[in-house]
């Protein structure tokens, strides 16, 4: 009894908390306007009137628009695009629909489109869409959501952050593009409450029932997607069902099926379109979007395990004080682009951090802004029009400049100490103690894990111990490098900022 008394309030607190969190997420997942299109209503009244060619593999052209800021920053990378295309084609494989990148990948420098509202997104699509392709825009913030399909502008906007290797948002939005509503259609913007009686109609739409009556004119209009009233992002149990039990207007109880891409279940639950959803998408392509299938496309496949051969510079090459190095690798048949992962090795602590990611269309890359006194590590991943499921090559490293300090002095005599570690947000500035062989001007730089300098400070030093501090205000939690450079050399220390 004692255990129960203590346990119940805690349990209620947890339930209250998760419902609130899920509610907040509701307007952040998909911003596609709700409802069934006129085309879908007419299709669902008599699907048998649409002679759909099933079983025929259709290749659908995509135009990929990568949107960055006015300064040309923040683009979705080639590696991220390849991984997203790989997942998309896996998700659509059972539907016999496969997607390929048509034409060149388009880059748009426009901060207004990079973080846009609906009006700006409409304008972006109106001025950039390529006819007879599925136009997809990867941006930082598409109208506050993970993504949306705009029926007016006929394009899909995707958030880079919701297009990761475990995400099915792209499949969800392309489902909308090909006419599919949400499985909980009608409930958008309305939170289902298990404690209230479920009405016959919600937002002027008939509420879908468990017994299948009105199934082609309620909810999403598909009879093989059972009722679902959950219009916020939810996580599923081990059977891919919702924790929330719902009641239909006739008081039959059920839990939502999270396997549908068109539900709001979390990514780990989703894995399919239903047969009726698949037939509707294929009919939509054949009858409403015939221009998408006019080009015959034969994919060039790149083996998933192909290791691209890196040609230059030689592994372990050491360059003098240069900032200019050209990377070269073997051209891969069928590749339309290469993703280059470029890291540097941090002296003294054995870590590598991702410095930059590049995307090229050719098999070489000239870097003209390399910093000295660093060892760089790079690897290459090719991707094709259709084929994003490729792997990175084995890495190679090269050095620029020479490391000064550990060769001229005994390790440990001189260097940097940073405390407290890890530093919490409320703990004040970073305290730094630098033990140096001689005095002079020294520069401190704090570098984030993306290689960006987030703090710089200069100070006068003397031989021996020098104490100083550096503000950590407004820095995101994570891992940073503190670098001290003076005439005697360069020291680096890892800094961890906790929440
Ligand atoms: Zn949606």
């Amino acid at each position: 009894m004692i255990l129960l008394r203590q346990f119940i309030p805690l349990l209620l607190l947890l339930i209250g908390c998760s419902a609130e969190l899920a509610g907040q997420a509701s307007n952040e997942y998909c911003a596609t306007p709700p409802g069934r299109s006129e085309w879908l209503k007419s299709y669902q009244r008599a699907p048998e009137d649409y002679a759909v060619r099933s079983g025929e593999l259709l290749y659908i052209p995509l135009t990929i628009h990568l949107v960055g800021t006015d300064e040309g920053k923040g683009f979705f990378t080639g590696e991220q695009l390849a991984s997203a295309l790989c997942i998309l084609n896996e998700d659509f494989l059972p539907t016999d629909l496969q997607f390929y990148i048509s034409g060149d990948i388009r880059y748009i420098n426009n901060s207004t489109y990079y973080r846009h509202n609906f009006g700006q997104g409409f304008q972006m699509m109106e001025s950039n869409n390529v006819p007879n392709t599925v136009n997809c825009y990867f941006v930082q913030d598409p109208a506050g959501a993970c993504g949306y399909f705009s029926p007016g502008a006929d394009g899909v906007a995707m958030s880079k952050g919701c297009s990761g290797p475990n995400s099915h948002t792209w499949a969800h939005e392309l489902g909308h593009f090909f006419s599919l509503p949400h499985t909980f259609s009608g409930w958008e913007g309305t939170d289902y409450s298990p404690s209230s009686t479920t009405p016959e109609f919600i937002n002027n739409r008939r509420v879908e029932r468990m017994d299948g009556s009105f199934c082609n004119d309620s909810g999403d209009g598909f009879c093989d997607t059972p009722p679902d009233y959950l219009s916020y992002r939810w996580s599923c149990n081990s059977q891919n069902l919702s924790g929330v039990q719902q009641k239909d207007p006739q008081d039959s109880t059920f839990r939502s099926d999270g396997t549908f891409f068109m539900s709001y279940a979390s990514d780990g639950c989703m894995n399919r379109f239903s047969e009726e959803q698949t037939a509707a998408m294929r009919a939509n392509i054949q009858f409403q979007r015939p221009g998408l299938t006019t080009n015959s496309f034969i994919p060039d496949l790149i083996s998933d395990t192909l290791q691209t051969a890196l040609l230059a510079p030689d592994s372990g090459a050491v360059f003098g004080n240069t900032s200019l190095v050209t990377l070269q690798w073997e051209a891969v048949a069928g590749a339309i682009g290469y993703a280059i992962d470029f890291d540097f090795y941090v002296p003294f602590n054995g870590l590598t951090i991702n410095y930059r990611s590049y995307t090229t269309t050719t098999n070489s890359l000239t870097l003209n802004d390399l910093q000295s006194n660093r060892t760089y590590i790079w690897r290459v991943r090719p991707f094709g029009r259709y084929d994003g499921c490729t792997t990175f090559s084995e890495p190679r490293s090269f050095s620029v400049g020479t490391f000064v300090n550990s060769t001229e002095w005994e390790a440990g005599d001189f260097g940097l100490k940073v405390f407290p570690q890890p530093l919490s947000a409320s703990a004040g500035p970073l305290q730094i103690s630098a033990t140096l062989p001689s005095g002079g001007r020294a520069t401190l730089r704090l570098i984030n894990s993306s290689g960006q300098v987030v703090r710089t400070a200069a100070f006068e030093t003397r031989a021996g111990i020098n104490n100083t501090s550096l503000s950590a205000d407004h820095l995101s939690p994570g891992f940073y490098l503190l670098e001290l450079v003076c005439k005697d050399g360069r020291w680096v220390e890892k800094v961890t900022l906790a929440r």
Side-chain angles (χ1 to χ4, degrees):
M1 280 311 287
I2 292 166
L3 183 72
L4 270 180
R5 266 209 305 275
Q6 287 176 333
F7 188 61
I8 288 170
L10 180 67
L11 191 69
L12 288 175
L13 190 71
L14 287 173
I15 291 168
C17 188
S18 65
E20 190 185 10
L21 282 176
Q24 281 172 352
S26 66
N27 53 359
E28 290 170 11
Y29 185 52
C30 169
T32 299
R36 284 189 300 157
S37 67
E38 289 310 313
W39 180 86
L40 184 67
K41 284 182 199 164
S42 117
Y43 168 80
Q44 286 174 329
R45 274 195 290 274
E48 62 280 5
D49 291 352
Y50 294 74
V52 178
R53 297 189 299 270
S54 62
E56 177 193 2
L57 187 58
L58 296 177
Y59 288 102
I60 308 295
L62 303 172
T63 300
I64 302 295
H65 305 265
L66 304 183
V67 181
T69 62
D70 290 343
E71 297 78 34
K73 301 254 191 265
F75 291 111
F76 201 47
T77 66
E79 184 198 353
Q80 291 168 321
L81 177 64
S83 299
L85 182 65
C86 176
I87 301 285
L88 180 70
N89 278 332
E90 277 175 14
D91 288 347
F92 271 87
L93 198 56
T95 67
D96 290 320
L97 298 172
Q98 292 284 275
F99 298 92
Y100 67 95
I101 299 169
S102 168
D104 291 339
I105 295 169
R106 296 172 166 234
Y107 288 85
I108 301 172
N109 295 11
N110 188 316
S111 297
T112 306
Y113 298 161
Y114 188 63
R115 298 173 198 276
H116 67 248
N117 59 28
F118 281 117
Q120 293 157 342
F122 186 89
Q123 189 193 32
M124 168 182 76
M125 293 175 184
E126 284 273 282
S127 28
N128 291 284
N129 274 2
V130 175
N132 294 323
T133 65
V134 182
N135 287 276
C136 298
Y137 296 80
F138 289 87
V139 307
Q140 178 68 25
D141 179 2
C146 268
Y148 66 87
F149 159 57
S150 166
D154 204 31
V156 165
M158 295 288 303
S159 145
K160 294 183 293 168
C162 299
S163 306
N166 299 311
S167 173
H168 301 290
T169 307
W170 204 3
H172 177 105
E173 299 307 338
L174 290 185
H176 285 313
F177 186 92
F178 298 119
S179 82
L180 303 187
H182 292 133
T183 47
F184 54 88
S185 187
W187 289 87
E188 286 94 344
T190 303
D191 278 356
Y192 170 79
S193 162
S195 56
S196 319
T197 307
T198 301
E200 291 283 343
F201 290 85
I202 189 86
N203 298 319
N204 300 317
R205 302 274 306 285
R206 187 179 280 283
V207 171
E208 190 167 359
R209 295 180 180 184
M210 276 302 284
D211 66 5
S213 50
F214 308 108
C215 67
N216 60 4
D217 198 33
S218 62
D220 59 7
F222 294 114
C223 294
D224 65 352
T225 61
D228 172 16
Y229 307 155
L230 303 182
S231 61
Y232 49 82
R233 209 84 208 271
W234 52 275
S235 45
C236 57
N237 64 21
S238 58
Q239 282 90 49
N240 291 333
L241 298 174
S242 65
V244 179
Q245 181 168 278
Q246 297 146 74
K247 262 188 330 239
D248 80 355
Q250 297 171 307
D251 280 349
S252 297
T253 58
F254 68 92
R255 292 176 192 274
S256 298
D257 183 342
T259 61
F260 294 115
F261 291 128
M262 300 314 294
S263 75
Y264 264 13
S266 44
D267 287 309
C269 317
M270 296 175 165
N271 56 36
R272 68 182 179 123
F273 294 104
S274 77
E275 283 182 22
E276 290 183 22
Q277 286 176 324
T278 299
M281 286 195 287
R282 293 183 65 93
N284 183 265
I285 291 167
Q286 200 174 314
F287 292 91
Q288 207 192 20
R289 300 181 176 281
L292 290 178
T293 56
T294 50
N295 295 320
S296 59
F297 171 76
I298 298 164
D300 258 326
L301 294 176
I302 302 171
S303 162
D304 289 1
T305 54
L306 176 92
Q307 291 275 319
T308 305
L310 306 186
L311 302 177
D314 286 337
S315 198
V318 178
F319 294 88
N321 280 311
T322 179
S323 61
L324 191 97
V325 170
T326 298
L327 311 178
Q328 281 183 301
W329 55 94
E330 196 171 61
V332 172
I336 60 160
Y338 300 90
I340 298 99
D341 176 42
F342 198 70
D343 301 346
F344 66 79
Y345 170 73
V346 182
F348 319 122
N349 65 7
L351 295 168
T352 60
I353 64 175
N354 179 249
Y355 182 46
R356 286 180 194 159
S357 299
Y358 298 96
T359 308
T360 67
T361 52
T362 57
N363 59 323
S364 71
L365 173 67
T366 296
L367 303 167
N368 57 14
D369 55 353
L370 291 179
Q371 294 179 19
S372 295
N373 285 344
R374 277 191 178 169
T375 296
Y376 295 96
I377 300 154
W378 62 291
R379 49 197 194 131
V380 173
R381 173 177 168 182
F383 57 92
R385 288 200 178 282
Y386 164 74
D387 205 348
C389 309
T390 48
T391 47
F392 271 110
S393 65
E394 289 296 321
R396 262 199 188 186
S397 64
F398 65 91
S399 296
V400 175
T402 48
F403 298 98
V404 183
N405 56 342
S406 63
T407 56
E408 291 188 21
W409 298 287
E410 289 297 321
D413 280 355
F414 303 102
L416 267 182
K417 286 198 177 66
V418 186
F419 48 93
Q421 284 283 315
L423 182 72
S424 68
S426 56
L430 279 173
Q431 302 297 329
I432 297 156
S433 171
T435 308
L436 300 174
S438 66
R441 191 106 177 127
T443 306
L444 282 170
R445 278 194 283 259
L446 192 63
I447 302 162
N448 70 15
S449 57
S450 315
Q452 296 161 321
V453 177
V454 294
R455 288 282 185 286
T456 314
F459 69 117
E460 291 296 327
T461 62
R462 55 189 171 83
I465 297 173
N466 298 268
N467 292 315
T468 185
S469 66
L470 199 61
S471 162
D473 288 351
H474 310 302
L475 292 177
S476 325
F479 145 48
Y480 294 77
L481 293 174
L482 182 73
E483 181 196 57
L484 182 144
V485 181
C486 62
K487 69 177 167 45
D488 297 311
R490 174 176 164 269
W491 287 268
V492 180
E493 196 63 30
K494 181 182 165 192
V495 177
T496 309
L497 290 189
R499 265 174 213 286

